[in-house]
Amino acid sequence: MNGDGSLERLRREGRIVVVGASLAGLRAAETLRDKGFAGSLTMIGDEPYEPYDRPPLSKQVLLGMAPADSTALPRRRAVDATWRLGVPATGLDMAARRVRLADGDEVPYDRLLIATGVRARPWPREAEAELDGVFVLRTREEGAALARRLADGPKRVFVIGAGFTGSEIASACRERGLSVTVAERGAAPLVGALGGVVGAVAADLQREHGVDLRCGVMVTSLEGDSSGRVRAAHLSDGSTVETDVVVVSLGATRNTEWLAGSGLGAGPRGIACDAGCRAFDIRGIVTDDIYVAGDVARSPHALFGYQFLSLEHWGNAVAQAEIAAHNMISESADRLPHMWVPAFWSSQFGVNIKSVGVPSLGTEIMVPQGTLASRRFIGVYGYQGRVIGAVAFDHARWLPFYQELVETTAPFPPPFPTVDRHPDGQRPMDADFPDPSVPTHGPTVTLSGYSPADRRMTFTPAH
Ligand SMILES: Cc1cc2nc3c(=O)[nH]c(=O)nc-3n(C[C@H](O)[C@H](O)[C@H](O)COP(=O)(O)OP(=O)(O)OC[C@H]3O[C@@H](n4cnc5c(N)ncnc54)[C@H](O)[C@@H]3O)c2cc1C
């Protein structure tokens, strides 16, 4: 269904299938209907629930302010779709244009959108991960289970990994008056996403709020009691922390296994797509009928040297879904690129943190407004003489200005004076990101070139 009137037919009576019925999937479906798609729409989701919102799971839900089943995503409009919920997609036949489901059904499509997101990376030692009291947090069920256990008043919560999610969990626990230990392999919380300068502020914040924060250590094992309940965590510095709840917050794994062998360019780093959200096949050729959006996608971005960007950002999932939906039913000349400037928020320990651009690409940082000591500031990140990102701690109203500097690739250090500047803040300093070859938890943005490992076809030189 392409060109010469066939696009009209697609819009009128085509079959669009969306795999992954969550934030990106729902927003794409709504956009398709908004833009006049009148054909059949099938939403396939492995979770048995209608689309719900995840950010409240580590905030309001853990605080006991909202039950986990109350975070359904508001609908922008009716989508008139067939919902296949509680049934995972298990395979894709690209040639026959069919999605295989776990219940044996096959669903044919003219256009397919893949929005299968990510899942929480479990504790790597399976037997220890299965101990009662060991949790991860990604889904509504996981949120409900953890919230229930926190409400029981455990003696101590032990959080492994101080990325955004781990830090938010620690914050919620402290707000509930629970004792919390956080173990982080890096030098400080949030260090992978925001670097060591801002990470040091986050560390002070945690300690001031009573978190027993242990940085530069790894958890070597979890220990259970005779009834299979977790009772302690052992650390690489030889110490042991007694605990009855462990939350593993070690980042995410892309949900791409179901595409193995399909011929699509999908792997552990996500699904590579072009700026118009069209998926690449394993030969590096862009497909015409398969689109990708949300946390599972990795796509090139003009602002960041056309490197492939993987974002675990709510706003990106929405923006990319809207672009993918538009492009799925548009002529090639009308297609739009996904050029969203990365933006992320988090609230923890009473502080509202927001970032724009890609701070983790920055090598230098300066603080043109506010001060690190007051924990109310803007940090601006520089990369090769240009502004590449910014972070605000309780200073978000200035962020749109810095976003414009990112968008216009303004020079770094930025050449303007600010009213509330502190003399030290005008001097760029090393942003102190960890060595990129050392894994850290929780950078919500990953940059990657096109990996040679993604090429799985035989190269035959032409004669
Ligand atoms: C606890 C928590 C807190 C967060 N806080 C913030 C925040 O403060 N700010 C922010 O910007 N972002 C935050 N995020 C991230 C944000 O929620 C995600 O970016 C967003 O959910 C991505 O949407 P998505 O639709 O791409 O993927 P997901 O929401 O992961 O949805 C993918 C869906 O596809 C389903 N699926 C997977 N495989 C299959 C299959 N084979 N067949 C069928 N269905 C499948 C999954 O089960 C899931 O329902 C947070 C996330 C979590 C978990």
Side-chain angles (χ1 to χ4, degrees):
M1 286 208 182
N2 262 328
D4 52 338
S6 60
L7 190 70
E8 261 325 297
R9 218 168 79 234
L10 170 79
R11 294 171 66 94
R12 218 173 41 242
E13 59 194 45
R15 298 158 304 181
I16 296 188
V17 172
V18 176
V19 181
S22 186
L23 178 63
L26 176 64
R27 294 297 180 241
E30 290 168 340
T31 307
L32 284 166
R33 291 302 189 207
D34 268 349
K35 292 189 176 278
F37 173 66
S40 80
L41 193 52
T42 306
M43 307 289 293
I44 298 166
D46 60 359
E47 296 186 83
Y49 315 109
E50 295 219 347
Y52 61 87
D53 211 14
R54 292 174 206 276
L57 296 179
S58 53
K59 305 172 183 79
Q60 293 86 341
V61 170
L62 293 192
L63 285 170
M65 285 159 55
D69 60 6
S70 69
T71 72
L73 279 165
R75 297 292 178 93
R76 289 180 179 169
R77 55 161 296 142
V79 292
D80 184 22
T82 304
W83 294 83
R84 305 286 306 262
L85 298 177
V87 194
T90 51
L92 170 66
D93 185 335
M94 287 172 62
R97 292 181 161 178
R98 298 174 89 83
V99 174
R100 276 191 301 280
L101 303 189
D103 64 6
D105 258 10
E106 295 206 352
V107 187
Y109 64 83
D110 300 305
R111 295 279 186 280
L112 171 66
L113 176 69
I114 302 176
T116 45
V118 304
R119 62 183 182 277
R121 182 171 292 135
W123 181 242
R125 295 160 170 243
E126 231 171 277
E128 296 176 10
E130 279 166 15
L131 288 169
D132 182 25
V134 177
F135 296 87
V136 291
L137 180 57
R138 177 79 195 175
T139 68
R140 172 173 148 174
E141 273 153 19
E142 290 157 357
L146 179 57
R148 264 195 310 275
R149 193 57 70 90
L150 298 186
D152 290 345
K155 284 200 210 70
R156 176 166 297 276
V157 179
F158 185 84
V159 181
I160 308 178
F164 279 107
T165 306
S167 299
E168 286 184 3
I169 293 166
S171 167
C173 291
R174 287 303 301 138
E175 218 172 302
R176 295 190 75 137
L178 300 169
S179 300
V180 182
T181 299
V182 173
E184 163 59 47
R185 179 187 1 209
L190 311 183
V191 75
L194 299 175
V197 172
V198 176
V201 179
D204 286 347
L205 198 60
Q206 294 212 4
R207 291 198 170 107
E208 202 168 273
H209 282 80
V211 173
D212 167 27
L213 175 66
R214 320 261 184 114
C215 292
V217 289
M218 286 197 288
V219 178
T220 50
S221 64
L222 301 176
E223 184 188 327
D225 63 17
S226 54
S227 61
R229 285 191 71 134
V230 69
R231 60 164 297 274
H234 299 285
L235 277 64
S236 56
D237 61 3
S239 61
T240 294
V241 178
E242 291 196 6
T243 182
D244 37 359
V245 172
V246 171
V247 190
V248 179
S249 196
L250 293 176
T253 304
R254 263 92 196 135
N255 291 320
T256 55
E257 293 82 352
W258 68 282
L259 294 161
S262 66
L264 206 64
R269 296 195 302 168
I271 305 170
C273 61
D274 73 357
C277 310
R278 293 179 303 175
F280 284 107
D281 71 15
I282 54 166
R283 302 167 302 170
I285 297 177
V286 77
T287 57
D288 287 325
D289 48 359
I290 304 178
Y291 290 71
V292 200
D295 285 10
V296 77
R298 43 192 291 261
S299 60
H301 201 303
L303 269 183
F304 307 102
Y306 291 96
Q307 289 200 67
F308 279 69
L309 229 57
S310 304
L311 297 168
E312 291 174 45
H313 293 183
W314 193 98
N316 179 66
V318 174
Q320 198 167 22
E322 290 169 350
I323 294 287
H326 169 88
N327 290 347
M328 286 170 101
I329 52 169
S330 296
E331 296 286 2
S332 57
D334 298 329
R335 288 190 190 132
L336 299 170
H338 174 54
M339 281 302 149
W340 190 73
V341 177
F344 184 82
W345 84 93
S346 168
S347 55
Q348 45 186 277
F349 304 102
V351 175
N352 177 8
I353 303 175
K354 284 192 171 182
S355 78
V356 293
V358 183
S360 56
L361 201 56
T363 48
E364 293 175 285
I365 187 173
M366 61 181 281
V367 183
Q369 291 184 265
T371 59
L372 296 171
S374 69
R375 290 182 208 136
R376 213 168 160 269
F377 63 90
I378 293 268
V380 181
Y381 294 83
Y383 172 68
Q384 296 187 345
R386 58 172 276 210
V387 174
I388 200 83
V391 65
F393 269 49
D394 275 346
H395 233 45
R397 86 192 151 100
W398 290 105
L399 218 50
F401 171 71
Y402 293 95
Q403 176 163 338
E404 212 176 296
L405 299 187
V406 174
E407 283 168 3
T408 53
T409 62
F412 181 91
F416 57 87
T418 57
V419 214
D420 59 344
R421 70 179 183 272
H422 186 276
D424 290 348
Q426 302 303 303
R427 272 196 303 274
M429 54 191 147
D430 182 353
D432 194 18
F433 277 98
D435 176 345
S437 63
V438 178
T440 54
H441 319 305
T444 54
V445 184
T446 316
L447 286 164
S448 55
Y450 202 84
S451 159
D454 290 343
R455 188 167 64 81
R456 267 162 274 164
M457 68 173 184
T458 314
F459 181 67
T460 318
H463 294 293

